Amino acid sequence: MGLTISYKLETQRKLNLAAVGELIGKLRAKAIELGFEEVSEMIAVAPRHSWLYYRPPWAKKASELVPAHDGWFFVATPGDGSEIMTVGLCRFAGAAGWRLEAFCKTQYASRHGWEHFLKCHRGVIELLWAAEAAGLRVKVDDEGGLWETGSHKVLRRNLAEYNQCVAALGGALKDADESGKNVVSPIFNHPQFEQLEATGLACHGAKISKAVRLVKRLAASQL
């Protein structure tokens, strides 16, 4: 749970494996240029990379997901608190062309302040812009709104709302946990956690209470 950028990279161009490697290598160089905290070496797709998969339109179960059998990718960390970003192109049985689907949760980079969060979140978006400029078809669902609007104001507003909601829900779940040990979240380490929690409860108190009751019922049903 948290503010996330989900994305798909695709191309129907008839590229061989070497050409794919060259293209992804250029995006890797762009990640370094953008100041990502860590950028891996180029990685050739292998059977152990089972988390690189394609979901056919008819797939309903995890067993129907198709693993990648060829391609290149790298992983990069925008900055502390952010999840890693995976960038690459893979081939999948039954799917034309090259593609990759992934996501990167950036919200908890905000524990280090707005400027650090902005650098991380914008870095992901700028790398996706670079992929688009390189000729890839790029589909993005940016919960921060930066991809769609280019607005830092919109991004900051959405970040505040996510932090408030997550802090309020996390705090309420922790209070409802009798042991006090079963609820963990990076939001608890945010320096403004108490303020975020209070604002979130003021804005979404009824929904938070309903969510906590639902979680408690689900937990009880598992006993």
Side-chain angles (χ1 to χ4, degrees):
M1 181 178 181
L3 191 148
T4 301
I5 303 168
S6 302
Y7 54 94
K8 296 179 182 179
L9 309 177
E10 298 178 88
T11 182
Q12 295 298 316
R13 291 155 57 190
K14 296 185 182 300
L15 302 175
N16 59 29
L17 188 59
V20 167
E22 182 178 352
L23 193 160
I24 299 306
K26 290 179 180 178
L27 293 178
R28 178 180 177 275
K30 182 65 175 179
I32 295 172
E33 178 188 322
L34 289 169
F36 275 56
E37 187 175 88
E38 294 183 9
V39 181
S40 76
E41 297 297 325
M42 294 280 290
I43 305 169
V45 170
R48 68 179 183 277
H49 302 129
S50 57
W51 46 274
L52 294 171
Y53 63 82
Y54 165 63
R55 185 186 299 276
W58 44 263
K60 302 295 183 182
K61 300 179 293 185
S63 61
E64 295 172 325
L65 301 177
V66 181
H69 65 77
D70 210 358
W72 286 98
F73 72 97
F74 66 91
V75 295
T77 303
D80 189 46
S82 174
E83 291 185 342
I84 64 169
M85 181 184 189
T86 302
V87 180
L89 288 173
C90 307
R91 280 196 288 208
F92 302 86
W98 299 83
R99 65 186 66 220
L100 181 138
E101 182 174 349
F103 63 88
C104 178
K105 185 184 300 180
T106 60
Q107 178 176 347
Y108 301 118
S110 66
R111 290 179 298 168
H112 303 292
W114 161 251
E115 293 299 332
H116 177 75
F117 167 79
L118 177 60
K119 175 183 178 295
C120 293
H121 194 92
R122 188 175 178 88
V124 174
I125 295 300
E126 288 196 6
L127 194 51
L128 293 172
W129 282 336
E132 193 171 55
L136 298 183
R137 183 183 181 190
V138 182
K139 295 182 180 180
V140 178
D141 178 12
D142 176 10
E143 293 176 340
L146 185 60
W147 173 269
E148 295 82 0
T149 67
S151 170
H152 291 184
K153 182 178 180 179
V154 169
L155 176 60
R156 191 164 194 167
R157 182 189 67 212
N158 289 335
L159 171 65
E161 184 170 342
Y162 266 83
N163 275 341
Q164 290 161 13
C165 288
V166 174
L169 179 58
L173 288 172
K174 193 170 186 178
D175 290 343
D177 175 28
E178 294 182 0
S179 71
K181 299 178 181 180
N182 295 321
V183 181
V184 295
S185 171
I187 197 66
F188 297 142
N189 297 322
H190 196 291
Q192 282 85 48
F193 170 75
E194 291 184 356
Q195 179 182 344
L196 293 169
E197 181 185 25
T199 304
L201 285 172
C203 295
H204 308 286
K207 292 181 179 179
I208 296 295
S209 297
K210 183 178 180 180
V212 171
R213 289 195 298 271
L214 177 60
V215 170
K216 291 178 72 174
R217 284 201 299 270
L218 290 173
S221 70
Q222 303 299 317
L223 298 177

